[in-house]
Amino acid sequence: VLRGHIRTGAPAGEIVAAARDLDVETIMMGEPARGPLRSLFTRDTAGGLLHRAPCAVWYVPARAAAA
């Protein structure tokens, strides 16, 4: 089941909190292909998720998504 939720705050922390609150099994995240600065922030969020998430995290980098 896919659901959407809106939260404010630090992205990695809010995604981890939502995953706990909603008892999710997997977080899926893709990297947008829109320049180095945006890519850097996305990687920081993904890194925070990989270390703190209470579930599996699937991360798809932009190069893999474009293939």
Side-chain angles (χ1 to χ4, degrees), residues 11-12 29 31-32 35-48 59:
M29 181 175 181
E31 175 183 15
L37 189 56
R38 185 167 196 167
S39 182
L40 175 65
F41 288 122
T42 303
R43 279 191 221 118
D44 287 347
T45 300
Y59 177 73

Side-chain angles (χ1 to χ4, degrees), residues 6-59:
I6 297 174
R7 293 184 180 227
T8 59
E14 290 301 319
I15 294 169
V16 168
R20 285 194 178 108
D21 293 348
L22 301 168
D23 195 29
V24 302
E25 295 178 14
T26 305
I27 296 169
M28 297 184 74
M29 181 175 181
E31 175 183 15
R34 293 191 185 157
L37 189 56
R38 185 167 196 167
S39 182
L40 175 65
F41 288 122
T42 303
R43 279 191 221 118
D44 287 347
T45 300
L49 288 176
L50 291 172
H51 293 288
R52 297 169 36 204
C55 60
V57 176
W58 287 14
Y59 177 73

